[in-house]
């Protein structure tokens, strides 16, 4: 018994590292703040870009918070949680990633001071949750009571793109295309995000970016003699190989004479010709096949004047079903004309060495593609990210809870609302709630900072203007910034972006604060 009591209890194997209490918290907070700091200079229209160089020398140039954090290869677990904030934000609403990461970092930074003045982490966590709830109420109050017409949606789309590299085309022009695209597929206020796609193609200036109806495929026809354009055609969508099926089923020919060999070849050939015959008799003009098409079948299809594409990805094939109304067919044999779709046109264009197919389903087809051009891969990648954000915010505004003032306007209102409610909260929790408001202030302050304004003066002026007018933002225009009404200036964000930023930043910061013991294995 005695010897057992003296035995030290090892719950960690050798080589494990353990940090506890204050030391663990300090290290986590520092790591979280460092990550947030890495993206804060990119916030807003005057935000700078980051160049990220991967271990293999690949380069990404971007202003997009989520992309920066994703590419940074962050190892510290607490720092990774901030990266996840940006990812959640990206997945949930598609924009506001820098906002969310900066806010999370500020919440940690404020918590650090509170911990220094001996506030217990659980009190801070409770206060932050309470403040986050108040923030959501404040956002509800900020939702603008206006008609979401094209002008407003374009302002939303444009606000999300300013500061991002868009090549030789302005965010304003792109915003108009994005809104046009979203409107085209919208069913009232409901929009299916999948119905607006982006297809990139280098080799032209960004200003050549255009909106096309339907689906764009990186595919060439299965046979060079197929038509390169089909108008008003009927479409079959196949999910089956077009080749000799008998060979799959282990049928053995016992061939003992040349006649029998000829017969076998003839049987095979007739099967292959059968595909083209069936399709042609059903008046199919275009075939999209998700699997292989035997070269001989492709030849027969070409002879029948049918345009066919093989190995179409399942994603594109879903899009084609939507755009053309065609159903996916598992076999050609019992082809039902009801299962066919229609296209207004399919045309194949050549860009450098690439064939690109444009499939326009025509009227009634709810599917559009932004055909994005750019001179280089870097330009086109950043343009694609900007457009994805713009599509996301336009849909978020239309489909998911309206719009609020941008340019720090909503943040100043949130901070004000939280402070005015903090007064009635008893005890030390009040300090944490006020600290939350201070963290929210960091967003307009950072906007001002990135614009080259004196951040303290700007924040004071912003609050003063908000108190007097009930609405105020830090409007960045050209080289400088000024305090003005964001709605009048057309700087408008979706409410969903703000809601999600508050939620995910609070979640990450409080999760990090609750940790007081870090056990890591080597
Ligand atoms: P995020 O990744 O958080 O979306 P951005 O760099 O896109 O970061 O910056 C978004 C912020 O910039 C939003 O708060 C938006 O209101 C603001 N913003 C956009 N355009 C302007 C403008 N012209 N003046 C001031 N703020 C703007
Ligand atoms: Mg943005």
């Amino acid at each position: 018994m005695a010897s057992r009591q003296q035995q030290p209890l090892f719950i960690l194997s050798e080589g494990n590292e353990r940090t506890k209490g204050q030391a663990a918290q300090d290290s986590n907070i520092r790591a979280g703040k460092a990550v947030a700091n890495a993206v804060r200079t990119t916030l807003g229209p005057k935000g700078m870009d980051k160049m990220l160089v991967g271990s293999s020398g690949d380069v990404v140039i971007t202003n997009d918070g989520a992309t920066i954090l994703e590419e940074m290869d962050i190892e510290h677990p607490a720092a990774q949680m901030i990266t996840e904030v940006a990812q959640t934000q990206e997945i949930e609403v598609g924009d506001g990633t820098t906002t969310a990461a900066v806010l999370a970092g500020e919440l940690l930074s404020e918590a650090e001071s509170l911990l220094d003045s001996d506030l217990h982490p659980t009190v801070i966590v409770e206060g932050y949750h309470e403040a986050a709830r108040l923030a959501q109420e404040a956002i509800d109050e900020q939702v603008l009571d206006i008609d979401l017409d094209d002008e407003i949606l374009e302002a939303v789309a444009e606000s999300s793109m300013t500061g991002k590299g868009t090549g030789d085309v302005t965010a304003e022009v792109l915003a108009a295309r994005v809104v046009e695209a979203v409107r085209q597929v919208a069913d009232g206020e409901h929009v299916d995000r999948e119905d607006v796609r982006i297809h990139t193609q280098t080799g032209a200036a960004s200003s050549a970016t255009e909106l096309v109806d339907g689906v764009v495929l990186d595919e060439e026809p299965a046979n060079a003699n197929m038509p390169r354009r089909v108008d008003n055609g009927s479409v079959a969508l196949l999910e089956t190989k077009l080749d000799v099926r008998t060979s799959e089923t282990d049928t053995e020919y016992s061939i003992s004479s040349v006649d029998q060999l000829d017969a076998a070849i003839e049987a095979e050939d007739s099967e292959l010709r059968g595909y083209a015959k069936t399709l042609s008799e059903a008046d199919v003009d275009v075939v999209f096949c998700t699997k292989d098409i035997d070269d001989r079948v492709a030849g027969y299809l070409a002879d029948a004047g049918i345009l066919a594409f093989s190995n179409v990805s399942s994603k594109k094939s879903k899009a084609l079903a939507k755009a053309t109304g065609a159903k996916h067919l598992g076999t050609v044999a019992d082809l039902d004309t009801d299962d066919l779709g229609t296209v207004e046109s399919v045309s194949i264009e050549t860009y450098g060495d690439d064939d690109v197919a444009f499939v326009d389903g025509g009227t009634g087809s709810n599917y559009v593609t932004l055909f994005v051009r750019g001179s280089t891969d870097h330009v086109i990648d950043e343009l694609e990210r900007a457009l994805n954000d713009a599509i996301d915010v336009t849909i978020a505004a239309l489909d998911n809870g309206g719009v609020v003032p941008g340019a720090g306007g909503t943040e100043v209102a949130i901070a004000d609302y939280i402070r005015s409610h903090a007064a009635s909260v008893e005890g030390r929790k009040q300090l944490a709630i006020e600290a939350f408001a201070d963290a929210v202030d960091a967003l307009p302050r950072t906007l001002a900072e990135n614009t080259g304004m004196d951040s303290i003066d700007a924040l004071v002026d912003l609050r003063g203007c908000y108190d007097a007018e009930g609405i105020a933002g830090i409007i960045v225009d050209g080289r400088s910034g000024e305090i003005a009404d964001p709605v009048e200036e057309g700087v408008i964000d979706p409410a969903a972006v703000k809601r999600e930023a508050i939620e995910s930043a609070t979640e990450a910061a409080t999760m990090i604060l609750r940790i007081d013991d870090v056990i890591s294995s080597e």
Side-chain angles (χ1 to χ4, degrees), residues 140-152:
D140 290 344
E141 282 193 355
Q142 288 299 304
V143 174
L144 299 170
D145 184 20
I146 48 173
D147 191 22
L148 294 174
D149 59 14
D150 284 1
E151 197 188 331
I152 295 295

Side-chain angles (χ1 to χ4, degrees), residues 391-403:
I391 296 167
D392 288 338
V393 294
T394 307
I395 294 175
L398 198 60
D399 197 14
N400 194 9
V403 294

Side-chain angles (χ1 to χ4, degrees), residues 503-519:
E503 191 179 315
S504 52
T506 308
E507 195 67 25
T510 54
M511 211 184 274
I512 290 173
L513 287 173
R514 278 205 210 93
I515 301 166
D516 78 335
D517 194 355
V518 178
I519 304 160

Side-chain angles (χ1 to χ4, degrees), residues 130-180:
E130 176 100 29
R133 200 183 48 74
L134 291 169
Q136 299 293 358
E137 284 176 16
I139 294 169
D140 290 344
E141 282 193 355
Q142 288 299 304
V143 174
L144 299 170
D145 184 20
I146 48 173
D147 191 22
L148 294 174
D149 59 14
D150 284 1
E151 197 188 331
I152 295 295
L153 291 180
E154 280 168 24
V156 173
E158 194 184 335
S159 298
S160 80
M161 280 188 287
T162 43
K164 303 238 171 355
T166 53
D168 72 334
V169 60
T170 61
E172 190 182 349
V173 169
L174 292 173
R177 304 257 157 82
V178 166
V179 172
E180 197 187 335

